[in-house]
Amino acid sequence: MNDYAGQHEVISENMTSQITMDLARYVQELKQERKSNFHDGRKAQQHIETCWKQLESSKRRFERDCKEADRAQQYFEKMDADINVTKADVEKARQQAQIRHQMAEDSKADYSSILQKFNQEQHEYYHTHIPNIFQKIQEMEERRIVKIGESMKTYAEVDRQVIPIIGKCLDGIVKAAESIDQKNDSQLVIEAYKSGFEPPGDIEFEDYAQPMKRTVSDNSLSNSKGEGKPELKFGGKSKGKLWPFIKKNKLSLKLGATPEDFSNLPPEQRRKKLQQKVDELNKEMQKEMDQRDAITKMKDVYLKNPQMGDPASLDHKLTEVSQNIEKLRLEAQKFEAWLAEVEGRLPARSEQARRQSAMYDSQNPPAVNSCAQDRESSPDGSYTEEQSQESEVKVLATDFDDEFDDEEPLPAIGTCKALYTFEGQNEGTISVAEGETLYVIEEDKGDGWTRIRRSEDEEGYVPTSYVEVYLDKNAKGAKTYI
């Protein structure tokens, strides 16, 4: 799948370099050419409109001068026919009529010239200028179409180059799918998550009618061996409940213990916590190493210049820093091993190794909390029964009833609405549908997961980015986390 995706990245890179960038430049060129053609068209249109206005103006002037000449002629004829008008007035009217006729003739000649010029400009506009502009635009569009075709051919060549490799990738995917061994996968899951519980033996009959010491089977679930210890019984709500079906991590929640390897968290959340711890240890180790280098340089300065200080006074500090570095290195190796186990780089510990580790821990029994922490150390939350008699009785006597009773569910501190659908396939997660409303029982603690509950028996973690949380500030336990 990675190789298949890589070929698509190759196609994307080649399309960017051979097609997209070239087309981007070509589009800019087309925009400039189109802008220039439209500018020429507007310029030609403005010129023909100016010529039309000149023609209309000369036409109106010619019409006005003709009317003035007719009125002057009529006035002269009227003055000439009137016997009461003097000869000088008649002569003046005649001269005025001649002037008006001359002005009309000039306007006529001007109008005729402008009209001839306009007809010529109009002919060139409709038969030369505009057709040329449209022809340029058409040629530009045809070149654009050809360029698109060339780009499509280039894409086909780019895609054809990786088709053989894609074919091999698909063959590899088919081969990998056909090589799936569901039986072997199931066995690997069983080996990784099996609890290690032994089936209980038959419970022996205890005759209370006889004054004899009551005994309990060593193979029974109670497994109490100490005299004078509280007798452990099944009763109440826990009747008929077997260990393999109890909720995981109950003991750690009851006692408030958090395993050092974060085995009580879902796989992805556990991996993030371990990675965060490794990064913190590496930063602390780098600080100590820088401090060691600084002390070493200072010691060298003291050796070269004794008057500045005693080199021996730095030996104790240098030794202390070196010891801190060694402790941090061992601690980092431990967490890196757990991280590698989670990420699948190292095989998980076998059941026999876990039993041997539990037996070794039983030889040095710590307090109840530490014992509970050790018992929760395996990734699946299971634990073995090979503890020492003393530690076993302590834990069983104080927590046996709690373990088998229905624990009090964590109080809801608000509600949330699922923004997206989430398929909870890993252990500790829960599936939600888009738009579903659920109860929030534990806020995101910085690792990207929120703990929610759908019903009393259905709860788990979902990614915080998949839900919208509405916290109830007055809810009991809204600020308290176990």
Side-chain angles (χ1 to χ4, degrees):
M1 293 296 290
N2 288 335
D3 293 341
Y4 183 67
Q7 296 308 311
H8 283 283
E9 292 178 359
V10 171
I11 293 176
S12 175
E13 292 173 357
N14 290 338
M15 287 183 64
T16 301
S17 61
Q18 301 181 25
I19 299 177
T20 307
M21 296 176 64
D22 185 32
L23 283 181
R25 289 192 298 267
Y26 190 71
V27 166
Q28 293 299 324
E29 295 174 0
L30 289 181
K31 286 182 178 179
Q32 293 297 328
E33 184 176 354
R34 183 175 182 271
K35 184 178 179 180
S36 176
N37 291 330
F38 274 77
H39 176 72
D40 293 342
R42 285 192 298 270
K43 186 177 179 181
Q45 186 174 359
Q46 291 173 357
H47 179 69
I48 196 67
E49 289 175 355
T50 302
C51 293
W52 171 257
K53 291 178 181 178
Q54 291 178 355
L55 176 63
E56 286 294 317
S57 177
S58 63
K59 179 180 178 182
R60 288 193 298 269
R61 186 169 59 253
F62 173 53
E63 180 181 7
R64 184 179 65 251
D65 291 344
C66 287
K67 290 180 180 180
E68 291 292 336
D70 288 341
R71 284 196 294 270
Q73 183 64 30
Q74 291 175 3
Y75 180 73
F76 166 68
E77 291 177 353
K78 181 179 179 182
M79 294 291 288
D80 189 39
D82 191 352
I83 58 174
N84 297 322
V85 178
T86 62
K87 187 176 181 180
D89 291 337
V90 173
E91 183 64 24
K92 183 178 179 182
R94 184 180 63 78
Q95 291 178 357
Q96 188 68 25
Q98 288 179 350
I99 293 173
R100 291 296 180 181
H101 278 290
Q102 185 62 40
M103 291 176 63
E105 288 296 329
D106 294 341
S107 297
K108 180 179 180 181
D110 186 47
Y111 170 63
S112 176
S113 174
I114 293 177
L115 177 62
Q116 185 178 1
K117 181 180 178 182
F118 173 79
N119 289 332
Q120 183 179 357
E121 292 287 347
Q122 181 176 251
H123 184 273
E124 292 180 356
Y125 175 79
Y126 285 105
H127 293 85
T128 304
H129 297 313
I130 294 301
N132 287 340
I133 293 174
F134 281 133
Q135 183 65 29
K136 291 179 181 179
I137 294 176
Q138 180 178 342
E139 291 175 356
M140 179 189 70
E141 290 297 320
E142 290 174 354
R143 293 198 309 272
R144 181 184 62 83
I145 294 172
V146 171
K147 189 66 175 180
I148 291 177
E150 293 176 353
S151 300
M152 294 174 66
K153 289 173 60 178
T154 304
Y155 165 71
E157 292 298 326
V158 169
D159 210 348
R160 185 179 287 113
Q161 291 175 0
V162 299
I163 284 179
I165 304 177
I166 290 179
K168 292 181 180 179
C169 295
L170 294 176
D171 293 340
I173 293 174
V174 172
K175 184 177 179 181
E178 292 175 347
S179 66
I180 292 175
D181 185 356
Q182 65 275 16
K183 297 295 184 182
N184 183 53
D185 292 346
S186 299
Q187 192 61 34
L188 291 175
V189 173
I190 292 171
E191 289 295 328
Y193 294 101
K194 64 184 179 180
S195 65
F197 285 107
E198 296 291 340
D202 296 337
I203 300 177
E204 297 180 2
F205 176 77
E206 300 181 14
D207 190 356
Y208 288 92
Q210 299 295 330
M212 59 182 289
K213 180 180 179 181
R214 294 191 294 271
T215 60
V216 182
S217 171
D218 290 342
N219 293 327
S220 65
L221 284 176
S222 58
N223 200 20
S224 177
K225 300 178 182 179
E227 295 183 5
K229 303 295 181 181
E231 185 178 358
L232 306 174
K233 297 181 181 180
F234 294 96
K237 293 183 290 183
S238 63
K239 186 176 181 180
K241 221 172 187 183
L242 296 180
W243 286 7
F245 301 99
I246 64 175
K247 292 182 180 179
K248 295 182 179 180
N249 303 324
K250 275 189 176 182
L251 193 57
S252 63
L253 292 174
K254 287 282 185 182
L255 301 178
T258 301
E260 189 180 11
D261 60 351
F262 304 107
S263 58
N264 62 319
L265 298 177
E268 181 62 22
Q269 194 173 3
R270 183 188 179 199
R271 184 191 67 78
K272 292 181 179 178
K273 284 286 188 182
L274 290 172
Q275 185 63 55
Q276 181 181 357
K277 188 67 176 178
V278 169
D279 294 341
E280 291 175 358
L281 291 172
N282 287 334
K283 288 181 180 179
E284 293 179 9
M285 195 186 310
Q286 186 61 41
K287 290 181 180 178
E288 294 291 338
M289 292 174 67
D290 293 341
Q291 185 176 358
R292 182 187 61 182
D293 294 341
I295 295 174
T296 303
K297 292 179 180 179
M298 187 179 297
K299 185 177 180 180
D300 292 340
V301 173
Y302 286 176
L303 289 173
K304 295 179 181 179
N305 302 285
Q307 67 275 11
M308 297 183 66
D310 183 12
S313 62
L314 300 176
D315 291 341
H316 176 70
K317 184 65 176 177
L318 194 59
T319 303
E320 182 181 350
V321 172
S322 300
Q323 291 176 354
N324 292 339
I325 293 175
E326 183 63 20
K327 289 179 182 179
L328 290 173
R329 185 182 64 81
L330 295 175
E331 190 76 8
Q333 287 180 353
K334 179 174 64 174
F335 279 93
E336 286 174 353
W338 283 332
L339 180 61
E341 182 177 337
V342 171
E343 294 179 344
R345 295 199 296 264
L346 295 177
R349 291 190 304 170
S350 64
E351 184 66 24
Q352 182 179 2
R354 288 199 296 267
R355 289 173 180 269
Q356 291 175 353
S357 175
M359 292 180 65
Y360 175 81
D361 293 338
S362 67
Q363 296 174 4
N364 301 282
V368 174
N369 287 355
S370 300
C371 179
Q373 181 173 339
D374 292 338
R375 295 173 66 174
E376 288 291 334
S377 61
S378 60
D380 58 356
S382 64
Y383 57 91
T384 61
E385 290 299 315
E386 282 89 349
Q387 302 289 335
S388 68
Q389 183 175 356
E390 181 182 356
S391 62
E392 179 183 24
V393 172
K394 281 185 179 180
V395 174
L396 290 177
T398 56
D399 297 303
F400 186 89
D401 292 337
D402 289 339
E403 188 70 31
F404 280 84
D405 285 341
D406 288 339
E407 69 171 357
E408 188 71 21
L410 292 175
I413 61 174
T415 60
C416 67
K417 181 179 180 182
L419 301 177
Y420 316 100
T421 299
F422 173 68
E423 299 293 339
Q425 299 178 352
N426 294 330
E427 181 184 0
T429 60
I430 183 173
S431 299
V432 296
E434 182 179 352
E436 186 177 2
T437 301
L438 309 103
Y439 293 101
V440 177
I441 58 177
E442 187 175 313
E443 266 190 289
D444 183 0
K445 297 182 179 180
D447 52 13
W449 292 85
T450 299
R451 191 175 180 184
I452 63 173
R453 177 190 297 133
R454 177 180 288 109
S455 60
E456 198 166 315
D457 298 327
E458 195 172 2
E459 62 182 47
Y461 291 90
V462 296
T464 304
S465 59
Y466 277 60
V467 294
E468 185 174 1
V469 178
Y470 309 96
L471 292 181
D472 184 4
K473 299 301 182 181
N474 298 324
K476 182 180 179 181
K479 296 298 181 181
T480 303
Y481 302 101
I482 297 177

